[in-house]
C-alpha cells in the first residue's frame, strides 16, 4: 500500500502518439550504489525527504540522493511499511516476530509495538482512520486482522476475511481519500481474486470480488482512492480496476512481465518490468493509459522482483527505482520522469577533404513524436575552433531524420555535435561524430643522422621546417640510449626566417634526436628522427717497464723477459660494461693476434690486467683496449677502438 502525505499538481502536456522509445537515462538522471540488500517495501517520507526501505531484518533510512542515513535493526523478516497520513509515524510488519511496530519519523525511535499473536506472521498492512489492517499467516492458513488503535490498550482481532478463504497472505491497500474502503489481493495463486471490503463499521464486509488472474506482484491505489492499478505476470501491462465493480478501466502496456507499480499524486503511473531482453525496464505514462509510455532502461540486468522497489517522491517530481541484486544494488533517480527520453544519433563520414563538402546525417527518436521542423543546434569543433563554433540550426524531417552539409575549413579531427534542447515534454539529447579531415604533410628534416662523434663533443642538431599554415613551432627532443636516461625536451620554439631551429647535444651516449611539428589547421603533424652515435672515452697505459725506446718509428716500453707487463685501462663506465683486450705478437714482419678477451670494468670505469711475461728476449708485442657494441655488455655507445700500446722483452 502507498499512502501519500503531500499532494502536488504536476502539469503535463497533452500527449498523442503510439510509438514507444527505449533509451538510456536522461542526462540529469542519477545512479549511485546503495548498501541495501533484499528489498521488501519502499515508502517515501516527504516531510523529512527520506525513503524507508525494508529487508534483511532492517529498515534503511535513505536520503533522496541515495545515501543511507540510518538503519533500524532487530526487525526479523520486516516486510510491509506504511506511513501515517500526517507523516509522523512509520508502521512496519515484523513477520518474524509476530508483531507490528511503530517508529517516530523525526527521532527514528520505536514508539509502540502491537503483538498480533503467536505464529500469525503479519506481512502486509494498511491504515484507515484509527485502525491498522494486516494480512497474516501462510498459504491456506492466511487471514485478515485488525488492530484498533482507538481502544486503550489497542486490541487485536483476527479472522476478519469474511466469506473469502485466502490461499496466501493478503496484500492490503487503503487510502484516506476513500476511508471506508480496504482492498485485498490474494496474490499467490492463479485463482486469487481482488476483494474490496467496506470497513466503515469496523468489521470488513465484502462489497465486490473478482478473479483477475492472480499472482499479483504489486499494486497501488489511484489518488482518489476509487481504483487500483495492479501488476501481475499474466499480462504485459499493469491494469487499473474500478473499485466499485472491479471492471477494468485502463491497461498500461509494458513489454515484459510487470514487477512493481507506483502512482504519483497527480495520477501518473510508473511501472517496472522484468526486462529479460534488456530493451527497457521502467515505464512512465505521462498522459495516462491512452498515451505512449516514456521508457527508460535503467539497468542492464533483470529488474528485481518480489518486493516493492519503485516509489515517487512525495511531490511527484522524481521517481526512485532500486535496481540490481542484493549484492550489487543501485539507487536510481529519474529527475524528469514525465518527460519522454529523446535519443539522437549523428553519422558523419570517416574521412573528408579540407574545404570540400561532406554530409552529416542522423535521427531523433522519442516515444512522443516530434513534429517536422523541430530545430536542432549544430556545432563544429576543430583546430581553428577548439571551443566549437556554431553552424546554426537544422530542421528535423517528417520521419525523424536530418542531414546537412559542411565544408570544414580545418583539417585533422573535426567533430560535429548535434543537440536537441528539449521542451516541456521531452528531455534534451545530444550526439556527435568525428571526421578525419586530410591535411598536407609538411617538409621537416633534422641534421646529423647516423653520424658518430667523440665522447663529450657538443653537437648542434638543426631542424628545418617547410611551408605551414599558422604554426611555426618545433620541438627538439633527445633520448639517450639506456633505460636510466629519459627522453628530454631540449628546446621548443618558433623557427627562424629560414625555417630552422637548433639545439645542442653533448654526446656521451648514442642518442635518438627527434624534431616534432604538431601541425596546424592545414598541415599535419610530423616527427623526424636522427640517430647519432657517441664513442666511449678510453685511456690505457703500461706499467713495470724499465725504459722506453723506439723501434723504427714506433715507441716501445722495454721489459725484462721475466717481468710481467701490466695494463691499466680507464673507460667510460656503464653498468655491466666490459672492455675487450686484443694482444698481438710481431713475427716475420706481421702482427698476429694471440689473445682477445673481455674484462669487467670497476664502477670507476677502471680495469687492471696482468699481461704476463715472455720468458725469452727479443719478443715484440702490442695491446689495445676497445669497447665493442654490443659485445661489451651494452649498446649505449658505438664501437670504439683504443690506441695500441707497444712493448718489447729483453734479456
Amino acid at each position: 500500500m502507498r499512502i501519500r502525505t503531500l499532494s502536488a499538481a504536476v502539469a503535463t502536456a497533452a500527449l498523442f502518439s503510439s510509438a514507444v522509445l527505449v533509451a538510456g537515462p536522461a542526462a540529469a538522471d542519477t545512479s549511485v550504489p546503495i548498501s541495501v540488500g533484499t528489498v521488501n517495501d519502499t515508502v517515501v517520507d516527504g516531510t523529512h525527504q527520506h525513503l524507508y526501505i525494508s529487508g534483511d531484518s532492517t529498515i534503511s533510512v535513505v536520503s533522496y540522493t541515495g545515501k543511507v542515513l540510518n538503519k533500524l535493526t532487530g526487525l526479523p523478516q520486516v516486510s510491509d511499511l506504511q506511513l501515517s497520513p500526517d507523516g509522523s509515524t512509520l508502521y512496519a510488519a515484523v513477520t518474524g516476530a509476530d508483531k507490528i511496530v511503530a517508529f517516530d519519523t523525526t527521532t527514528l525511535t520505536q514508539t509502540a509495538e502491537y503483538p498480533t499473536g503467536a505464529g500469525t506472521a503479519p506481512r502486509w498492512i494498511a491504515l484507515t482512520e484509527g485502525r491498522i489492517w494486516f494480512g497474516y499467516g501462510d498459504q491456506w492458513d492466511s487471514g485478515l486482522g485488525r488492530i484498533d488503535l482507538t481502544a486503550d490498550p489497542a486490541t487485536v482481532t483476527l479472522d476478519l476475511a469474511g466469506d473469502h478463504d485466502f490461499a496466501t497472505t493478503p496484500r492490503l491497500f487503503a487510502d484516506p481519500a476513500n476511508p471506508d474502503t480496504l482492498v485485498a489481493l490474494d496474490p499467490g495463486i492463479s485463482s486469487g481474486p481482488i476483494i474490496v471490503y467496506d470497513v466503515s463499521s469496523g468489521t470488513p464486509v465484502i462489497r465486490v470480488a473478482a478473479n483477475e488472474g492472480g499472482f499479483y506482484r504489486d499494486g497501488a491505489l489511484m489518488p482518489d482512492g476509487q481504483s487500483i492499478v495492479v501488476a501481475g505476470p499474466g499480462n504485459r501491462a499493469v491494469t487499473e480496476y474500478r473499485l466499485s465493480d472491479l471492471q477494468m478501466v485502463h491497461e498500461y502496456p509494458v513489454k515484459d512481465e510487470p514487477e512493481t507499480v507506483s502512482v504519483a499524486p497527480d495520477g501518473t503511473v510508473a511501472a517496472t518490468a522484468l526486462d529479460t531482453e534488456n530493451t527497457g525496464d521502467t515505464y512512465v505514462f505521462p498522459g495516462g493509459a491512452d498515451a505512449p509510455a516514456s521508457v527508460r532502461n535503467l539497468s542492464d540486468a533483470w529488474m528485481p522482483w518480489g518486493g516493492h522497489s519503485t516509489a515517487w517522491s512525495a511531490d511527484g517530481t522524481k521517481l526512485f527505482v532500486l535496481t540490481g541484486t542484493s549484492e550489487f544494488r543501485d539507487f536510481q533517480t529519474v529527475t524528469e520522469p514525465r518527460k519522454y527520453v529523446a535519443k539522437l544519433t549523428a553519422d558523419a563520414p570517416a574521412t573528408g577533404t579540407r574545404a570540400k563538402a561532406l554530409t552529416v546525417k542522423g535521427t531523433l527518436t522519442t516515444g512522443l513524436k516530434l513534429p517536422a521542423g523541430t530545430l536542432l543546434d549544430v556545432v563544429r569543433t576543430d583546430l581553428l575552433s577548439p571551443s566549437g563554433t556554431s553552424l546554426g540550426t537544422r530542421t528535423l524531417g517528417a520521419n525523424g531524420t536530418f542531414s546537412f552539409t559542411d565544408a570544414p575549413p580545418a583539417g585533422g579531427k573535426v567533430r560535429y555535435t548535434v543537440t536537441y534542447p528539449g521542451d516541456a515534454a521531452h528531455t534534451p539529447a545530444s550526439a556527435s561524430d568525428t571526421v578525419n579531415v586530410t591535411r598536407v604533410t609538411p617538409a621537416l628534416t633534422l641534421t646529423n643522422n647516423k653520424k658518430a662523434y667523440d665522447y663529450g663533443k657538443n653537437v648542434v642538431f638543426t631542424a628545418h621546417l617547410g611551408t605551414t599554415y599558422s604554426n611555426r613551432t618545433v620541438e627538439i627532443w633527445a633520448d639517450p640510449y639506456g633505460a636510466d636516461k629519459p627522453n628530454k625536451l631540449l628546446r621548443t620554439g618558433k623557427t627562424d626566417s629560414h625555417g630552422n631551429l637548433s639545439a645542442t647535444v653533448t654526446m656521451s651516449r648514442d642518442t635518438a634526436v627527434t624534431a616534432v611539428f604538431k601541425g596546424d589547421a592545414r598541415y599535419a603533424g610530423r616527427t623526424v628522427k636522427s640517430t647519432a652515435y657517441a664513442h666511449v672515452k678510453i685511456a690505457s697505459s703500461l706499467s713495470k717497464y724499465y725504459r722506453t725506446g723506439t723501434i723504427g718509428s714506433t715507441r716501445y716500453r722495454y721489459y725484462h723477459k721475466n717481468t710481467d707487463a701490466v695494463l691499466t685501462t680507464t673507460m667510460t663506465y656503464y653498468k655491466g660494461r666490459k672492455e675487450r683486450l686484443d694482444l698481438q705478437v710481431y713475427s716475420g714482419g706481421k702482427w698476429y693476434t694471440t689473445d682477445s678477451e673481455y674484462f669487467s670494468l670497476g664502477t670507476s670505469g677502471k680495469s687492471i690486467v696482468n699481461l704476463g711475461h715472455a720468458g725469452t728476449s727479443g719478443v715484440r708485442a702490442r695491446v689495445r683496449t676497445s669497447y665493442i657494441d654490443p659485445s661489451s655488455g651494452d649498446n649505449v655507445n658505438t664501437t670504439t677502438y683504443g690506441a695500441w700500446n707497444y712493448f718489447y722483452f729483453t734479456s
Side-chain angles (χ1 to χ4, degrees):
M1 167 192 164
R2 310 277 75 77
I3 292 183
R4 293 154 302 286
T5 60
L6 296 176
S7 62
V10 181
T12 55
L15 307 173
F16 303 97
S17 180
S18 59
V20 174
L21 169 71
V22 176
D29 295 349
T30 61
S31 175
V32 297
I34 185 171
S35 58
V36 299
T38 300
V39 176
N40 291 328
D41 195 16
T42 305
V43 296
V44 173
D45 177 354
T47 301
H48 300 99
Q49 302 280 286
H50 290 164
L51 290 86
Y52 304 107
I53 302 172
S54 64
D56 299 326
S57 301
T58 299
I59 298 174
S60 298
V61 184
V62 179
S63 73
Y64 273 17
T65 62
K67 181 179 180 181
V68 177
L69 305 173
N70 204 337
K71 289 198 174 187
L72 311 179
T73 59
L75 304 169
Q77 301 175 45
V78 61
S79 53
D80 202 23
L81 305 174
Q82 294 298 326
L83 200 63
S84 64
D86 63 2
S88 64
T89 303
L90 176 70
Y91 295 94
V94 187
T95 306
D98 299 323
K99 63 183 179 180
I100 293 166
V101 296
F103 293 92
D104 185 293
T105 55
T106 299
T107 64
L108 298 177
T109 57
Q110 183 174 318
T111 56
E113 67 174 50
Y114 308 100
T116 55
T120 51
R123 186 177 178 189
W124 306 104
I125 54 178
L127 306 179
T128 60
E129 187 174 354
R131 300 181 181 94
I132 303 173
W133 303 94
F134 60 94
Y136 66 90
D138 183 41
Q139 298 187 30
W140 292 101
D141 292 326
S142 300
L144 174 63
R146 179 194 64 212
I147 300 172
D148 187 350
L149 301 178
T150 63
D152 189 15
T155 59
V156 176
T157 306
L158 303 178
D159 298 324
L160 295 175
D163 292 335
H164 181 68
D165 187 10
F166 283 101
T168 53
T169 310
R171 288 185 177 226
L172 303 177
F173 303 86
D175 194 295
N178 191 1
D180 295 334
T181 299
L182 177 70
V183 183
L185 305 180
D186 200 346
I189 189 171
S190 62
S191 59
I194 302 173
I195 303 171
V196 181
Y197 288 98
D198 184 331
V199 294
S200 58
S201 67
T203 298
V205 176
I206 296 176
R207 286 182 187 157
V208 62
N211 178 7
E212 300 297 347
F215 293 122
Y216 310 110
R217 295 287 195 185
D218 199 10
L221 292 172
M222 295 299 282
D224 60 3
Q226 300 301 315
S227 60
I228 186 170
V229 181
V230 176
N235 300 312
R236 293 186 181 272
V238 292
T239 310
E240 182 180 349
Y241 297 98
R242 187 169 52 233
L243 297 185
S244 61
D245 55 9
L246 290 180
Q247 292 298 303
M248 185 180 76
V249 179
H250 295 295
E251 279 192 341
Y252 301 84
V254 298
K255 286 188 175 181
D256 202 350
E257 178 181 299
E259 296 297 333
T260 66
V261 62
S262 185
V263 180
D266 68 342
T268 302
V269 173
T272 64
L274 191 59
D275 193 26
T276 57
E277 297 180 357
N278 197 28
T279 57
D281 50 42
T282 302
Y283 294 72
V284 177
F285 295 86
D290 296 329
S294 173
V295 184
R296 288 167 171 82
N297 201 29
L298 301 183
S299 172
D300 290 334
W302 290 10
M303 291 296 278
W305 64 86
H308 182 80
S309 55
T310 304
W312 289 90
S313 61
D315 62 3
T317 61
K318 294 182 176 66
L319 182 67
F320 306 113
V321 183
L322 292 164
T323 62
T325 64
S326 58
E327 292 83 9
F328 303 101
R329 187 77 68 194
D330 289 316
F331 183 91
Q332 313 275 357
T333 303
V334 183
T335 58
E336 294 182 303
R338 292 170 182 78
K339 287 192 175 184
Y340 288 82
V341 177
K343 185 176 181 181
L344 195 61
T345 66
D347 183 25
T351 60
T353 302
R354 194 190 68 80
K356 295 293 182 65
L358 55 83
T359 299
V360 180
K361 57 187 178 180
T363 60
L364 176 59
T365 52
T366 175
L368 181 65
K369 187 177 179 180
L370 286 160
T374 296
L375 296 180
L376 307 174
D377 298 317
V378 179
V379 171
R380 182 185 63 226
T381 305
D382 55 25
L383 291 171
L384 290 176
S385 304
S387 299
T389 184
S390 174
L391 300 184
T393 58
R394 301 295 188 272
T395 57
L396 193 67
N399 56 356
T401 63
F402 66 87
S403 68
F404 61 87
T405 59
D406 182 55
K413 290 188 178 297
V414 178
R415 177 173 291 274
Y416 292 94
T417 301
V418 183
T419 301
Y420 166 62
D423 60 21
H426 298 87
T427 62
S430 183
S432 62
D433 201 8
T434 299
V435 184
N436 288 313
V437 178
T438 58
R439 290 182 288 175
V440 177
T441 301
L444 182 64
T445 59
L446 185 64
T447 58
N448 302 327
N449 188 37
K450 296 184 179 180
K451 292 183 179 180
Y453 298 94
D454 290 339
Y455 180 87
K457 183 175 179 60
N458 291 326
V459 178
V460 175
F461 290 79
T462 299
H464 176 77
L465 178 64
T467 301
T468 60
Y469 174 60
S470 59
N471 183 16
R472 299 298 298 167
T473 298
V474 172
E475 297 174 356
I476 299 179
W477 294 76
D479 188 7
Y481 279 35
D484 59 328
K485 297 288 185 180
N487 193 20
K488 182 179 180 181
L489 178 63
L490 299 180
R491 188 178 179 189
T492 181
K494 292 183 178 180
T495 60
D496 62 19
S497 59
H498 302 290
N500 297 329
L501 183 75
S502 298
T504 300
V505 177
T506 299
M507 297 298 299
S508 60
R509 297 185 182 185
D510 295 350
T511 303
V513 180
T514 55
V516 179
F517 170 66
K518 292 187 175 180
D520 57 29
R522 296 184 182 180
Y523 285 80
R526 188 174 180 187
T527 299
V528 296
K529 181 171 72 171
S530 288
T531 301
Y533 304 102
H535 292 292
V536 298
K537 189 175 183 180
I538 301 174
S540 60
S541 62
L542 289 165
S543 60
K544 295 191 176 181
Y545 55 90
Y546 67 91
R547 74 178 182 89
T548 61
T550 59
I551 300 175
S553 61
T554 303
R555 189 171 184 82
Y556 280 79
R557 268 64 175 171
Y558 281 73
Y559 288 85
H560 295 295
K561 63 181 180 180
N562 292 322
T563 299
D564 290 345
V566 176
L567 182 71
T568 300
T569 300
T570 302
M571 181 182 291
T572 308
Y573 178 73
Y574 186 77
K575 184 178 180 181
R577 178 169 288 181
K578 300 175 183 179
E579 61 168 339
R580 191 182 81 180
L581 291 187
D582 296 319
L583 182 62
Q584 294 184 344
V585 174
Y586 190 78
S587 176
K590 293 183 179 181
W591 289 99
Y592 294 93
T593 298
T594 61
D595 193 16
S596 184
E597 189 172 346
Y598 286 89
F599 295 90
S600 296
L601 295 174
T603 56
S604 63
K606 193 172 184 179
S607 174
I608 301 174
V609 179
N610 189 329
L611 302 177
H613 56 275
T616 184
S617 61
V619 176
R620 292 163 61 182
R622 65 179 182 179
V623 64
R624 71 176 176 185
T625 302
S626 302
Y627 166 81
I628 307 299
D629 175 14
S631 301
S632 285
D634 62 79
N635 69 339
V636 302
N637 288 92
T638 193
T639 296
T640 309
Y641 295 99
W644 288 104
N645 288 275
Y646 292 84
F647 55 106
Y648 179 58
F649 288 96
T650 68
S651 58

